Amino acid sequence: MPTCWLNGTFCDESTASVSIFDRGLLFGDGVYEVATVVRGRLLDADLHLARLERSLAAIRCDNPLTIAQWLETMQALVNANALDEGLVYLQVTRGVAERDFAFPTSATPTHFAFARPKRLLQDPAAAGVSVHVVPDERWARCDIKSTAMLAQVLAKQSARSAGAFEAMMHEDGVVTEGGSSNLWIVQGGTLITRPLSHDILAGITRDVVLELAAGAGIPVLERTFTVHEARTADECLMTSASSFVLPVVTIDGAPVGDGAPGTVARTLREAYIERALRLTAP
Amino acid sequence: MPTCWLNGTFCDESTASVSIFDRGLLFGDGVYEVATVVRGRLLDADLHLARLERSLAAIRCDNPLTIAQWLETMQALVNANALDEGLVYLQVTRGVAERDFAFPTSATPTHFAFARPKRLLQDPAAAGVSVHVVPDERWARCDIKSTAMLAQVLAKQSARSAGAFEAMMHEDGVVTEGGSSNLWIVQGGTLITRPLSHDILAGITRDVVLELAAGAGIPVLERTFTVHEARTADECLMTSASSFVLPVVTIDGAPVGDGAPGTVARTLREAYIERALRLTAP
């Protein structure tokens, strides 16, 4: 059984549990992060932990660990599970308290983390994935990486029911983001993605890809784009920590461009992997 | 220590816990109900359980118990805790599964319930409560009584920080509902409340109060109303299972009407209590 981390100690996952009075369970009152592990080393964990701090500040919850303690814990979890390639998930909730919507006067944040293997460098999804278009039903603060994600659960389930890999969420025909990814299109060689706001999550991978595009001489435009633009784009891409960069080759069954991974998607995925290997070099 | 119900058995609350892989904790993938207990008997539990079924159907989750089993369980919980007046809280999550947004192929819904004493008939809040106006940041399906409620947590905390009893949530100046209640105003003797839609929860108490108003000869209009209308109304009211009917006497510190509980609020609260006593008569 894998080892996880819960409130300060490592334990067997099968025994890791929280009270039914945990506010994460009663209210979705918590935030989380998912960081990548390549060659047994954490990738961009500092960026994920900086975003964790921003999410916690936004919901006015204390961070139970320092950045250094989180880094140490996450790496120990990687080692304990002999994880070579995969993900580390971590979550902080406002803790256990008598049920009441407003913040408890004294509660210790619950925090836990677990590790999972996943093929990242040789991800079969790199051959191209499908998306299914759904209305974005989320709340007004999608910049907070909260666990109150029933809207995303339903969007991703709609995608799966439609045989698609990911959801393409939109508001009145304007794309917001994927169910758990940022979305991009390519028009005439220019890479386009929605600017940051309360409407989308500030993806760590999104930030890195913006840098990599600049480095590769790919022009970038941060602006909103429509579902129609995505359908008629030369390329469509999705990015996330757990999938790096993936070409989106069909939208609701119709091919994007010629229906094969495009040059920009391939270039950025290769650049992302090259950077990942460089940063995790022994 | 009080006794609670968890996945088919009664247990001490201090030992009641769920796996960190419960989807209620990871995704807010669950729904809940809060039913009232008066004189040791459940009030309108059938209506709450019917709404539970609607919420579960909306998120496509099985109900782990039949209505009869829920009723039996809830009453047993009331008896085990010798609860005379108070609330029974119950929650269903999609269960424990390997973390993935879309529905697991096989998971048994987690379900639990607990009881709490609360003064309802002689609630000191009946003297009049205050509300604080905040933007409604919730998702697009507020008709589903989901536990993914970080928006409500933040709204109710804003209210508390402002010294108010409840939040008055609005979208572009139009009132949606309270943080955990339905809101009403009285204009020239007519009771006004927002019509049902995906934008608000179909309150059980709201339904009952509509009936009681009809019985009392109070004209009712189901239409949206603005924060401005609420500020300048003759009366403002809130309703919920855990508070019955309460007069809202100040909005952001300014008195509504003459700042004292109004006739319509008093009439409806008395009618609600009379009905509650009739339905729970030994």
Side-chain angles (χ1 to χ4, degrees), chain A residues 66-143:
Chain A
T66 63
I67 301 290
Q69 286 172 326
W70 272 119
L71 286 171
E72 190 186 341
T73 301
M74 292 164 79
Q75 188 62 53
L77 201 54
V78 168
N79 300 346
N81 290 280
L83 189 68
D84 177 57
E85 199 172 301
L87 308 168
V88 172
Y89 175 96
L90 64 90
Q91 182 172 335
V92 178
T93 83
R94 205 180 304 275
V96 175
E98 189 62 26
R99 185 179 183 277
D100 186 7
F101 283 82
F103 304 167
T105 45
S106 73
T108 308
T110 297
H111 52 296
F112 60 93
F114 57 87
R116 280 294 177 276
K118 184 176 191 299
R119 274 182 84 177
L120 296 168
L121 301 173
Q122 304 288 332
D123 189 342
V129 299
S130 52
V131 298
H132 172 55
V133 178
V134 298
D136 189 340
E137 299 192 316
R138 296 175 303 163
W139 71 321
R141 290 300 306 274
C142 300
D143 56 315

Side-chain angles (χ1 to χ4, degrees), chain A residues 26-222:
Chain A
L26 297 178
F27 295 112
D29 190 7
V31 298
Y32 76 106
E33 283 293 331
V34 182
T36 302
V37 173
V38 172
R39 300 199 289 200
R41 299 185 66 172
L42 288 157
L43 183 64
D44 296 323
D46 53 336
L47 303 179
H48 286 281
L49 291 169
R51 185 172 62 186
L52 177 71
E53 296 251 298
R54 293 198 298 276
S55 293
L56 287 168
I59 71 166
R60 284 165 286 155
C61 178
D62 291 335
N63 193 342
L65 298 184
T66 63
I67 301 290
Q69 286 172 326
W70 272 119
L71 286 171
E72 190 186 341
T73 301
M74 292 164 79
Q75 188 62 53
L77 201 54
V78 168
N79 300 346
N81 290 280
L83 189 68
D84 177 57
E85 199 172 301
L87 308 168
V88 172
Y89 175 96
L90 64 90
Q91 182 172 335
V92 178
T93 83
R94 205 180 304 275
V96 175
E98 189 62 26
R99 185 179 183 277
D100 186 7
F101 283 82
F103 304 167
T105 45
S106 73
T108 308
T110 297
H111 52 296
F112 60 93
F114 57 87
R116 280 294 177 276
K118 184 176 191 299
R119 274 182 84 177
L120 296 168
L121 301 173
Q122 304 288 332
D123 189 342
V129 299
S130 52
V131 298
H132 172 55
V133 178
V134 298
D136 189 340
E137 299 192 316
R138 296 175 303 163
W139 71 321
R141 290 300 306 274
C142 300
D143 56 315
I144 302 174
K145 201 166 171 71
S146 142
T147 57
M149 292 195 291
L150 186 49
Q152 287 94 314
V153 164
L154 296 178
K156 300 271 279 191
Q157 177 60 28
S158 286
R160 179 179 290 174
S161 298
F165 181 84
E166 172 61 303
M168 172 178 276
M169 297 194 289
H170 73 92
E171 277 181 353
D172 301 322
V174 178
V175 173
T176 49
E177 54 185 327
S180 59
S181 59
N182 289 114
L183 295 176
W184 313 63
I185 58 171
V186 179
Q187 275 183 351
T190 298
L191 187 60
I192 300 167
T193 199
R194 189 178 178 113
L196 297 184
S197 70
H198 284 182
D199 296 333
I200 65 169
L201 187 75
I204 303 299
T205 309
R206 177 188 179 280
D207 259 5
V208 170
V209 166
L210 283 174
E211 275 178 36
L212 294 174
I218 299 168
V220 175
L221 211 51
E222 288 187 75

Side-chain angles (χ1 to χ4, degrees), chain A residues 16-18 20 25-29 32 89 91 98-100 102-103 116 137 139-140 147 149-150 157 160, chain B residues 16-18 20 25 27-29 32 89 91 98-100 102-103 116 137 139-140 147 149-150 157 160:
Chain A
S17 60
V18 302
I20 61 165
L25 183 67
L26 297 178
F27 295 112
D29 190 7
Y32 76 106
Y89 175 96
Q91 182 172 335
E98 189 62 26
R99 185 179 183 277
D100 186 7
F103 304 167
R116 280 294 177 276
E137 299 192 316
W139 71 321
T147 57
M149 292 195 291
L150 186 49
Q157 177 60 28
R160 179 179 290 174
Chain B
S17 61
V18 302
I20 59 166
L25 183 68
F27 295 112
D29 190 7
Y32 77 106
Y89 175 96
Q91 181 172 336
E98 189 60 27
R99 185 179 183 277
D100 186 7
F103 303 167
R116 280 293 177 277
E137 299 192 316
W139 71 321
T147 57
M149 292 195 290
L150 186 49
Q157 177 60 30
R160 178 178 292 174

Side-chain angles (χ1 to χ4, degrees), chain B residues 38-39 43 121 244 271-281:
Chain B
V38 172
R39 300 200 287 202
L43 182 65
L121 301 173
F244 294 0
Y272 191 90
I273 287 174
E274 189 189 328
R275 174 181 175 277
L277 292 174
R278 192 174 68 245
L279 292 179
T280 57

